[in-house]
Each structure stands twice: as C-alpha cells, then as structure tokens.
C-alpha cells in the first residue's frame, strides 16, 4: 500500500471540515439550527394561533395551531347515547359516544327488525353488550316477556344468545356469572327501578342464612332473580333505564334435567293459586302456568302440585306439622312468607310465586316479579301503608296453616333474621348502592320514557327506606321481637 492511499481519507475529512468553518464565517451556506416550537399566538375559539421556532441566527419559522375551544363535560345526552361537552368560552357543543364508564352502568343495544316480535314469537337480533367488567357482541333471539301486561308501553324482553345456531354463553357483570341469556326488565310500574333487584337481593340474603345444601342454596339469591341497572337501546332508540336480570327458567334455577324437576308459575289470584282447590286439566286458565318439566309428562308435575294442595287442605295442627315437609320445603316457605310481609308485597301473596321442585315431590315457593314491593301497589299508582300485608291476614292456605301451627317457628325465624340481614341499615345500604349507580341525567331520560305512574319525586329510595323502617317496626311488634 502506498503512502498516498494511506493518508488520502483523513486528509479529505480535514479539508471538508476546514471548508465548512470557512463557509460559516463568510455568511454563506448557513444551516439553521431550529429550536423547539413555543407558543407565539394563543388560538381562540374562532382564530387559529401560531407557535414559533427560532434559530440562533435570529430567523424564525411558524406553524399554525388550529382553533381551540375550552371543552368541559356538560351532561349526558342519554337519549342520543352521547356525552356532551361545552366550550366555556363560546358555548360550542361537541358530543362523544356515551361509554359505560360515563353512564355508570352497562349499555345494551339491540339491532334488527322487530315487527314480528311478540311474547310467543322470538325474532333474531344483533346484541351489543358493553359492561363495566366485560363486553360482547353476539346474535340472539328476543321476545317480549311481559306475560300479563303486554299492553304496557315499555316492554320486557327475554334474550337468548346464540352464535351460528348454537347457544352462546357470556360472563355478565357482578355476581351474575355465566349466562346463555337474560331478561331485560322495564320495571314499568316502578319508576325508582330499584325494587325488583333490591328485593331479590334481600330475599337471597334471607334464604342464604338457612343452613342448607340444596340446589337453590347454590343459586345467586337462592332463585330470586338478581340483576343490575342497564341502559337499553333498540335500533338506536333509547328504551329506558332497565334492569338486566337472570332468566328465571330451568337453567337459571340450576336444573339439570333430572327426573321430577318442574317449575310452575302462579300468575293469577285464583282458588288454585291460593292453594284452596286442586288444578284441573285446564290449569292454564286457573292462574297457574307450567314453565318447565324435565320429562314429557306434564301431568306428573300437576299431580304432585295437587298432592301438596290436598295435603294443606285436609291436614291441620299436628298432622300438618308431621307431614308438611313431604310436600313443601317448610323453611323456604316460611322465609318466602316473612319476606313478603317484610316488603309489603301485596301482589306476591298468592300470585307472582314460582313453585319449584327438584325431586317431583317437595315444592319450594320463590317470590317472583318484585317490582310491587316496599308498599308499591301493582298498578304503580299508589302505596299501601306499612303493616297492610300482615301475618294477621293469611292470604293463602299454606300461610293459614303456618299462622295456626308455626307461629313460634315464624317468630323465632323473624328474630334470627333481625339479628342478620333484616335491618333498616342493611336494606338502606343495598338500596343506596343501587340508587347511586343511577345518575340524574339517566333519571331524567328515563322519566321521559314514562308517561304514567308515581314519578321519581314520590317513588324513590327514601320511600323504600322509610317503608322498610316502619314495616320492620310493625313486624317486630307482631312477632314480639325486642332486639
Ligand atoms: Zn440560522
Ligand atoms: Zn369555544
């Protein structure tokens, strides 16, 4: 290698550096070294601003800052599913799609043609669920669920999830867990929207204090339908503040197809639903609906139910106490009775009861449809006074036998419950927790979808707590509980 080639590269670099210093000092070939952009002219609501970057040589360059509002959150536009922001300077509004976090509760959207949907005819719809803990998009079958009040302007919906014709299971929020479907309940008579869920939770707490290991004890709320508030939209239209509730069918009640399983629903006030007369073959017109039997033999479930009615009818005193457990779960039945007195549920004393059996012999009454609780009458237009639904007036033949033969047991049980979940403080805690999920904006939008019934200034959490306090005092006196 020659000396020339060895030194050529370093020499070239030296010459380049020399030339560039020479060029700078001559004021030619200056390369700007721009500093960071800094605010120069603040934008306003209507005029763009500027920011500036400067070089050491004194040159400056500019770039535009687009017009800028000072947006703050103003309100939730529940009807249009939006969060609305307003500029504090000029009043310009800007909307963003309402999120569940802003709403404070899950949002359910149903989409698709619903013209053929009735209580018998289910229709396929798309469903989007945006929960606080989980979300999903699926297809589903939906039908109207108001069994007895299909004329109510706000409908209940039964939702069955499916995916390509196969059942589809999702995880719901809270303690509801896995489900292949659920009910969307409008709580049409109850503008507080608190009663059905609050009451189910209270029944669950009551029933769970029994030291039992039956199928019912493993269900959320021991079979009473748990739920939570949701906003429901159908094809973009706001239907209202609903509650999403566990479906009260065989799966919701933990049935597995074992022989003997059956569910009846007392849906009317009849001689049969008050357990005074047995069902005939025409039972569908006698206030009792057969919801499920594990086998094809519907008659077996009806016969078993009739054996219970006949037993209650002909046995009093010792004979009743001796044999009642062969036909009815006495502990759960006493709990259901005390729960109904506690909540002043005048519409649940003989109807709105699910009669459930897991073995085809022993029936368990589960309170159902709990909107008319804490004194609210079935029509949603007025309240009954505390003490109106009283153990002094047995409303059905089973409770008549209880009042004759089980007064001591009922009093003992009341005392036990008073040392447990049945306190004003506990009821108030659950009620306020639910109520706290529902913002004023949601209340206002929901009220706009209701045209009748007691409105929120009367039907609210304060009424529930006040009713609970007075009714508990009444029952304490009746059952001789001193605390
Ligand atoms: Zn420069
Ligand atoms: Zn502005």
């Amino acid at each position: 290698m020659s000396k020339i080639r060895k030194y050529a590269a370093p020499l070239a670099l030296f010459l380049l550096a020399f030339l560039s210093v020479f060029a700078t000092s001559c004021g030619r070939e200056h390369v700007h070294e721009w500093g960071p952009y800094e605010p120069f002219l603040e934008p306003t609501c209507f005029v763009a601003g500027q920011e500036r970057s400067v070089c050491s040589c004194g040159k400056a360059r500019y770039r535009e800052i687009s017009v800028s509002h000072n947006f703050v959150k103003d309100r939730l536009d529940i009807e249009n599913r939006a969060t609305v922001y307003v500029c504090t300077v000029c009043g310009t509004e800007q909307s963003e799609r309402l999120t569940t976090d802003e709403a404070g509760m899950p949002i359910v959207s149903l989409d698709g043609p619903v013209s053929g949907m009735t209580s018998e005819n289910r229709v396929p719809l798309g469903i989007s669920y945006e929960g606080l803990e989980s979300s999903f998009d699926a297809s589903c079958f939906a039908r109207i669920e108001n069994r007895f009040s299909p004329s109510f302007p706000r409908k209940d919906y039964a939702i069955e999830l499916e995916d390509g014709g196969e059942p589809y299971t999702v995880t719901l929020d809270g303690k509801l867990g896995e489900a292949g479907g659920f009910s969307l309940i409008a709580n049409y008579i109850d503008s507080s929207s608190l009663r059905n869920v609050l009451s189910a939770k209270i029944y669950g707490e009551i029933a769970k204090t029994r030291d039992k290991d039956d199928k019912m004890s493993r269900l959320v709320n021991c079979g009473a339908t748990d739920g939570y508030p949701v906003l429901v939209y159908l094809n973009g239209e706001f239907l209202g503040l609903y509650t999403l509730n566990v479906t009260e069918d065989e799966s919701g009640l933990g049935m597995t197809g074992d022989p003997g399983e059956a569910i009846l629903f007392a849906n009317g006030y009849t001689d049969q639903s008050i357990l005074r007369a047995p069902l005939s073959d025409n039972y569908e017109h006698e206030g009792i609906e057969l919801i499920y039997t594990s086998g094809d033999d519907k008659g077996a479930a009806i016969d078993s139910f009739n054996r219970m009615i006949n037993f209650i009818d002909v046995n009093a005193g010792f004979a009743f106490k001796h044999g009642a457990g062969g036909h009815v779960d006495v502990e759960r039945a006493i709990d259901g009775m005390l729960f109904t007195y506690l909540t002043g549920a005048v519409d649940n004393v003989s109807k709105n009861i699910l009669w459930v059996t897991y073995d085809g012999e022993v029936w368990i009454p589960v309170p159902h449809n709990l909107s008319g609780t804490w004194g609210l009458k079935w029509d949603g237009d007025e309240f009954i006074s505390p003490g109106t639904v009283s153990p002094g007036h047995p409303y059905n033949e089973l409770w008549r036998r209880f009042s004759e033969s089980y007064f001591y047991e009922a009093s003992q049980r009341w005392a036990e419950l008073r040392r447990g979940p049945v306190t004003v403080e506990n009821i108030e805690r659950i009620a306020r927790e639910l109520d706290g999920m529902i913002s004023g904006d949601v209340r206002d939008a929901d009220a706009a979808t209701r045209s009748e019934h007691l409105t929120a200034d009367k039907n609210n959490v304060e009424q529930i707590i006040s009713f609970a306090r007075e009714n508990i005092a009444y029952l304490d006196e009746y059952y001789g509980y001193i605390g």
Side-chain angles (χ1 to χ4, degrees), residues 42 103 189 345:
E42 289 292 341
I189 67 162

Side-chain angles (χ1 to χ4, degrees), residues 30-34 55-59:
H30 165 67
V31 177
H32 296 302
E33 288 179 9
W34 297 114
C55 177
S56 55
C57 72
K59 288 254 183 198

Side-chain angles (χ1 to χ4, degrees), residues 347-365:
D347 209 25
N348 294 74
V349 296
S350 64
K351 60 181 264 195
N352 286 330
I353 294 172
L354 284 171
W355 287 95
V356 178
T357 181
Y358 292 97
D359 63 4
E361 286 299 329
V362 179
W363 291 87
I364 309 168

Side-chain angles (χ1 to χ4, degrees), residues 130-329:
E130 292 167 53
L132 297 170
E133 297 162 24
S134 61
S135 297
F136 62 84
D137 288 294
S139 47
C140 70
F141 287 107
R143 62 180 174 81
I144 293 169
E145 208 184 23
N146 305 59
R147 288 195 176 102
F148 319 110
S149 322
S151 61
F152 281 178
R154 282 169 53 129
K155 311 294 184 203
D156 296 349
Y157 298 95
I159 304 295
E160 295 165 66
L161 300 171
E162 58 98 34
D163 181 23
E166 293 297 312
Y168 181 74
T169 313
V170 294
T171 306
L172 297 170
D173 283 0
K175 293 180 189 161
L176 267 55
E178 290 271 305
F182 43 81
S183 299
L184 296 171
I185 305 292
N187 296 298
Y188 182 62
I189 67 162
D190 175 23
S191 57
S192 82
S193 299
L194 301 173
R195 293 165 204 271
N196 92 54
V197 173
L198 166 67
S199 303
K201 287 181 189 295
I202 298 291
Y203 175 78
E205 291 198 359
I206 288 173
K208 295 244 171 182
T209 63
R210 290 288 193 189
D211 188 20
K212 280 175 170 291
D213 187 28
D214 56 2
K215 282 192 176 177
M216 209 149 249
S217 64
R218 292 191 283 276
L219 303 175
V220 181
N221 296 338
C222 292
T225 176
D226 201 3
Y228 46 76
V230 293
L231 300 177
V232 178
Y233 295 83
L234 175 62
N235 291 322
E237 182 195 349
F238 177 58
L239 294 187
L241 167 65
Y242 274 55
T243 55
L244 183 153
N245 291 50
V246 177
T247 304
E248 287 290 66
D249 59 5
E250 58 276 19
S251 71
L253 288 163
M255 295 193 165
T256 49
D258 290 345
E261 289 175 344
I263 307 168
L264 300 179
F265 180 57
N267 62 23
Y269 191 81
T270 61
D271 276 356
Q272 288 76 14
S273 71
I274 67 168
L275 312 173
R276 185 173 292 161
L279 300 168
S280 73
D281 292 343
N282 210 16
Y283 57 86
E284 300 274 359
H285 301 282
E286 294 169 346
I288 300 284
E289 181 185 357
L290 180 67
I291 291 183
Y292 171 76
T293 54
S294 56
D296 293 334
D297 188 1
K298 295 180 178 181
I302 301 301
D303 289 346
S304 169
F305 195 71
N306 280 343
R307 283 196 295 279
M308 178 188 76
I309 292 176
N310 289 330
F311 175 85
I312 294 167
D313 188 37
V314 300
N315 292 281
F318 178 77
F320 177 79
K321 285 190 103 160
H322 186 70
H327 298 280
V328 61
D329 185 324

Side-chain angles (χ1 to χ4, degrees), residues 44-46 68-71 86-93:
T44 71
C45 296
F46 308 105
S68 168
H69 300 279
N70 184 37
F71 283 119
V86 173
C87 175
T88 55
V89 179
C90 70
T92 293
E93 291 195 351

